[in-house]
Structures are given as structure tokens and as C-alpha cells.
Amino acid sequence: MTFKSKLGTVLLVALMASTSVASLSYANTDAKPAYATQTQMLRLSEEARTAIMSAQTARLDLFNNNPEGAKAAVDRGIGALEAAQATMKTVLIPGTDAADAKAEYLPFDSKMSLAETFTVTPEKEVALGKAKGMFESNAPDKAIDVLREAAVDVMVSTALLPGEATLTELRNAQKFISEGKFFEANVALKSVEDSVIVRSFGIDAIPVQGATG
């Protein structure tokens, strides 16, 4: 499984302008979360990204009467998740803030924004610039430490895909396509798209990855 941070180029002018993420979830960055946290930035699953894109591509191919293309796309998504089976559990996080929530979701995309509580100071502007360079040089954990030390209120918004459930639905779609049941295949693929959720949390409330839940 390959993990790549997608956050480097996001901590730019867009970060200074965006505040909407703070209202999605966990807006109180001063409160201690009920769930276990980690200091490291979330690792993202390229396999999960491939899976959701494959589902979207397959639905479009079915709409365009291209079952062979749909089959190839579904096979690509299944292959990605099957290849990640051995290490998938190390990146999973829960889908909610509940302390007893099961870790079953794969983070596949993230963005950062300043919390609504952010107040501009010269020191924080310097920290933002320093963190930006660290993200761009693929050192997200060091960048997060810089933001923490400067008390920069940053929110992380993460798109999540349920790993095992997605693999099951892709296999269902594969079976339906092979049987010529394209309506049923489309329903299975749409369930993959509909299963995507978004969590948002402060940089001091990043969920532990790999928890058994």
C-alpha cells in the first residue's frame, strides 16, 4: 500500500481564505476528543482513491453502453483493494467521533483550512509559511508540529471510503456485469459512491490509524 500526502499544495493562499471546513465536524479545537488521537498527519490510501474513481468510471461506461470498459474499471478497483489487503488495517480510521466507533474507513483525500477561531499574527504567518514549505517537501508531520507550536488553528477535512464494504460492492458489480445485469451493477457501483463520508477535525485531534475499534 502506498501512502502519499495530498496536503502540500493546499496549505497556500486557499488555506488563508477557507473557513468552511470548521463547521463540518469537531469545530471545538480546544476540547479533548473522546477518541484516540495521533500526532502524525493522516496517511492516505491510493488504493481507496483508485477504487472510488473506478466505480465512477464504470458507472459512466455503463451509461454509455460500454460494458467492457465498465468491467475493466471495476477490475482495476478490485485489484487495487485486494493488493492492499495485508496493510489496509494500518490506515483505517473510524467514520465518527464516537469513542467506540469501529475503524473501517480508508482516508483517500484531504484538505486543510484555517479554523473559524484563527487570528492572524506575524508569528502565525511565519509559521504558515514554514509549514507550507515542509508540506511541499513531503514532510507533513514536521509541518504539523510547526503549526501546533505556533498555535495555528487548522482543521483537516478528510474523505473516507469503507474498505471492506467497497470491495464487496465492487465484486458484486463485477458479477452483475459478467451476467449482463447492468442495472444491478449500476446500483452496486452507486452504493460505493454513496458510502463516501467526510470527517473534519483539528490538528490536535487526528484519529489514530490502524485502531481495531
Side-chain angles (χ1 to χ4, degrees), residues 18-80:
S18 175
T19 58
S20 60
V21 176
S23 63
L24 291 177
S25 172
Y26 201 72
N28 183 359
T29 56
D30 294 325
K32 181 177 176 59
Y35 53 89
T37 63
Q38 65 185 31
T39 58
Q40 298 84 9
M41 178 52 69
L42 282 177
R43 291 168 293 161
L44 303 181
S45 170
E46 287 297 313
E47 291 81 5
R49 179 186 290 272
T50 296
I52 186 64
M53 292 180 65
S54 296
Q56 293 169 338
T57 299
R59 289 193 71 200
L60 183 60
D61 282 332
L62 289 176
F63 179 79
N64 290 324
N65 195 30
N66 180 16
E68 289 301 317
K71 180 181 182 302
V74 170
D75 289 348
R76 192 160 56 247
I78 291 173

Side-chain angles (χ1 to χ4, degrees), residues 48-121:
R49 179 186 290 272
T50 296
I52 186 64
M53 292 180 65
S54 296
Q56 293 169 338
T57 299
R59 289 193 71 200
L60 183 60
D61 282 332
L62 289 176
F63 179 79
N64 290 324
N65 195 30
N66 180 16
E68 289 301 317
K71 180 181 182 302
V74 170
D75 289 348
R76 192 160 56 247
I78 291 173
L81 290 181
E82 286 183 340
Q85 284 290 289
T87 54
M88 185 184 296
K89 61 180 178 295
T90 67
V91 72
L92 292 171
I93 67 171
T96 72
D97 295 346
D100 59 350
K102 182 180 179 181
E104 56 187 344
Y105 283 85
L106 295 166
F108 67 90
D109 199 8
S110 290
K111 70 174 183 178
M112 299 181 72
S113 66
L114 296 173
E116 293 176 344
T117 55
F118 177 77
T119 301
V120 179
T121 66

Side-chain angles (χ1 to χ4, degrees), residues 108-175:
F108 67 90
D109 199 8
S110 290
K111 70 174 183 178
M112 299 181 72
S113 66
L114 296 173
E116 293 176 344
T117 55
F118 177 77
T119 301
V120 179
T121 66
E123 293 78 10
K124 291 181 180 181
E125 286 187 326
V126 170
L128 282 170
K130 186 176 181 180
K132 169 183 171 292
M134 289 177 173
F135 276 119
E136 291 176 340
S137 62
N138 200 28
D141 294 342
K142 291 182 179 180
I144 287 295
D145 286 340
V146 168
L147 295 174
R148 287 193 182 106
E149 290 173 5
V152 178
D153 296 330
V154 174
M155 302 297 293
V156 181
S157 179
T158 304
L160 305 170
L161 189 70
E164 292 298 336
T166 296
L167 184 55
T168 295
E169 291 297 351
L170 287 177
R171 287 170 174 165
N172 288 338
Q174 183 185 57
K175 176 177 178 293

Side-chain angles (χ1 to χ4, degrees), residues 177-191:
I177 291 173
S178 67
E179 295 172 350
K181 298 178 180 179
F182 303 137
F183 175 82
E184 290 84 352
N186 182 63
V187 171
L189 293 168
K190 185 176 185 301
S191 71

